[in-house]
Amino acid sequence: MAKIIFLPLPEAGHIYPTFGLASQLTARGHEIGYMAPPDGEEFLRARSWPFTPILEDVLPKGLMAGLEARMGEPGLRLRERLNLISEFFSRGAARDAEVLFGSSFEARLRESRADLLIVDATFPMPILAAHKVKIPAVQICANLPLRRDLAVPPLTSDHIPTGTALSRLRIRLHWWSIHFGSGLLGARKLRAQVREFFRQHPDAVPGDFHAHLQLGPNLRIPTLVTCAPEFDFPRDSSEGLHYLGPCVDLSRPEAPLPAELPSGDAPLLVCSLGSHGDRVREHRAFFQAVIDAVARRPQWRLLMAVGSHLGAASFGTPPPNVVVVDKLPQLSALKRASLMITHGGLSSVKECICLGVPMLVYPLVYDQPGNAARVVHHGLGLRGNVRQASAEKIGAQIDEVAGNPAYRDRVRALQRVFLEADEAGRGAETVERLLRR
């Protein structure tokens, strides 16, 4: 049996998607551990897998989330915003330098005595560090694949491919704009560091910068995708991509549902914009629009998480069929839900599919527009614009999805595909096959 270490980003949307695979590997006798900056520990407290903090000096607990929250505050002066942005990028550059060239990070990898590292594809640089200490590594996508494929729009695009010449041109232009822009906006220092690493280690795994949403190069190594291909758009090439199935751990320990949630058989609407959406104060108007839409539909119940920065108390006394909380136990809520309003993070989308819940997707950033496009393409729900939302628009979407059984039928058809993939242990089998190589 092997010792396998996961190195995810220290966020729920990057740690939770690994739990299904880690559970499959544990059941087959492998030793599992996690390494991440200190912020990652809170997501593993209820699990038995050991956690080793890394990069504590450059990324102390709470620092990056605090910077993001402060940048999202209304009325922030331009000078203060620029200072926060400068600090954000400075910490990122220090992190990159430590991973690529630092002795402390290299020592942590040696001490792990791992047989395999499974590294988050969003931050693939530990794979290069692993080369120095001769530990094999693969990368794992908490999103859909990040490398360039001219048949598929980047995940930052909401375009749904149609196969026409105009659609293909639009996809190419999306990729071109990303590659051009990434060379200008704060990436030059990172690229210089990577090139210096390759100069010092010419035999390291090759890579390029023809990708997106990656803090580092796109490396040509096996890539584990925590999703089923049936949810993705068809690609020109799947070489090196291993779709594991959703890898959703439906037994993940969670807090109980709020005691004030109204009981009864009325359908439950769950609303959450995820960790990043919760940090942005400007989404208050969106949350209020959702409350107003449900207040006009007493046949529904609403359980909504608004995040600690807004705070449930700031919404006053809600209507009797509405419960507003800072955070909610998402799996527990979805097991009772009839519909979810989500930001479209892949973890939330997969959990909805695995539990047979249609969606209204209001994408914010990163891969969420692409995930929303796939939800619409497969008929799993509808999408909207968080900045243009109103009680009337949201209410009309609730009525459309709830009143058309085709949405739930299509979700349940894909649910069977997802659950069969996880029950078959496809993820663990793939990792073991790669280990044998």
Side-chain angles (χ1 to χ4, degrees), residues 21 24 140 224-227 242-247 421-422 426-427 430:
L21 177 58
Q24 290 180 27
I140 186 168
L224 311 177
V225 183
T226 57
C227 196
H242 303 271
Y243 288 86
L244 308 183
C247 295
D422 276 354
R426 187 186 301 168
T430 300

Side-chain angles (χ1 to χ4, degrees), residues 1-4 25-31 115 432 435:
M1 294 296 101
K3 183 175 185 181
I4 300 170
L25 291 166
T26 299
R28 296 166 84 103
H30 299 287
E31 181 182 353
D115 298 302
E432 289 175 343
L435 274 167

Side-chain angles (χ1 to χ4, degrees), residues 112-376:
S112 74
R113 300 185 180 277
D115 298 302
L116 179 70
L117 299 181
I118 300 181
V119 179
D120 198 315
T122 303
F123 184 58
M125 267 131 34
I127 296 168
L128 297 178
H131 167 79
K132 295 189 293 183
V133 298
K134 309 300 182 188
I135 299 178
V138 298
Q139 58 187 356
I140 186 168
C141 280
N143 357 58
L144 291 166
L146 302 176
R147 73 186 187 195
R148 181 174 64 179
D149 187 318
L150 295 181
V152 180
L155 292 168
T156 50
S157 166
D158 62 3
H159 179 59
I160 299 174
T162 62
T164 64
L166 183 60
S167 177
R168 291 194 294 270
L169 175 61
R170 185 173 176 179
I171 292 169
R172 285 178 176 271
L173 289 174
H174 277 308
W175 281 113
W176 178 84
S177 65
I178 284 174
H179 184 63
F180 178 75
S182 66
L184 297 176
L185 303 175
R188 290 184 177 180
K189 187 169 185 178
L190 182 150
R191 293 190 180 193
Q193 289 177 316
V194 171
R195 291 189 182 103
E196 175 60 21
F197 181 91
F198 281 122
R199 188 191 67 79
Q200 295 182 22
H201 303 276
D203 58 335
V205 57
D208 57 45
F209 287 95
H210 293 297
H212 67 320
L213 299 176
Q214 286 190 287
L215 302 171
N218 181 53
L219 302 173
R220 297 177 200 140
I221 63 169
T223 300
L224 311 177
V225 183
T226 57
C227 196
E230 289 83 356
F231 180 70
D232 202 359
F233 292 138
R235 295 180 173 269
D236 271 348
S237 172
S238 294
E239 182 180 359
L241 299 178
H242 303 271
Y243 288 86
L244 308 183
C247 295
V248 173
D249 184 2
L250 295 175
S251 62
R252 183 175 76 221
E254 288 190 329
L257 289 171
E260 60 269 35
L261 182 67
S263 59
D265 298 328
L268 175 65
L269 171 63
V270 174
C271 176
S272 171
L273 294 183
S275 55
H276 291 282
D278 290 351
R279 295 175 190 165
V280 182
R281 296 180 185 272
E282 68 186 31
H283 296 145
R284 178 186 179 85
F286 173 80
F287 288 126
Q288 187 62 56
V290 175
I291 292 173
D292 293 343
V294 175
R296 300 171 190 175
R297 290 163 176 80
Q299 73 274 22
W300 280 87
R301 295 173 296 159
L302 170 64
L303 174 60
M304 183 168 70
V306 298
S308 56
H309 291 92
L310 273 177
S314 69
F315 287 85
T317 302
N321 61 335
V322 173
V323 173
V324 181
V325 295
D326 289 358
K327 294 183 179 181
L328 59 80
Q330 186 159 295
L331 280 180
S332 300
L334 286 175
K335 288 173 182 177
R336 295 175 58 180
S338 298
L339 179 65
M340 182 175 191
I341 297 177
T342 173
H343 62 309
L346 188 61
S347 290
S348 293
V349 170
K350 291 188 302 182
E351 288 172 4
C352 284
I353 294 171
C354 284
L355 292 168
V357 180
M359 291 158 269
L360 303 181
V361 185
Y362 282 78
L364 305 175
V365 291
Y366 306 132
D367 63 327
Q368 296 157 23
N371 297 333
R374 287 160 175 82
V375 167
V376 172

Side-chain angles (χ1 to χ4, degrees), residues 32-86:
I32 301 300
Y34 280 78
M35 299 175 71
D39 284 342
E41 185 174 12
E42 66 175 287
F43 304 108
L44 285 151
R45 284 177 182 162
R47 310 310 299 245
S48 60
W49 301 305
F51 175 81
T52 301
I54 56 176
L55 306 171
E56 307 98 308
D57 293 339
V58 294
L59 297 176
K61 187 174 180 63
L63 173 75
M64 299 304 272
L67 290 175
E68 288 185 14
R70 289 169 62 193
M71 283 190 282
E73 291 180 355
L76 191 68
R77 294 180 180 178
L78 178 60
R79 181 184 295 274
E80 294 172 328
R81 186 178 299 277
L82 291 176
N83 288 339
L84 290 171
I85 292 173
S86 175

Side-chain angles (χ1 to χ4, degrees), residues 93-109:
R95 171 204 60 203
D96 301 340
E98 172 59 31
V99 170
L100 290 177
F101 307 109
S103 58
S104 175
F105 185 72
E106 183 176 329
R108 291 284 172 86
L109 291 184

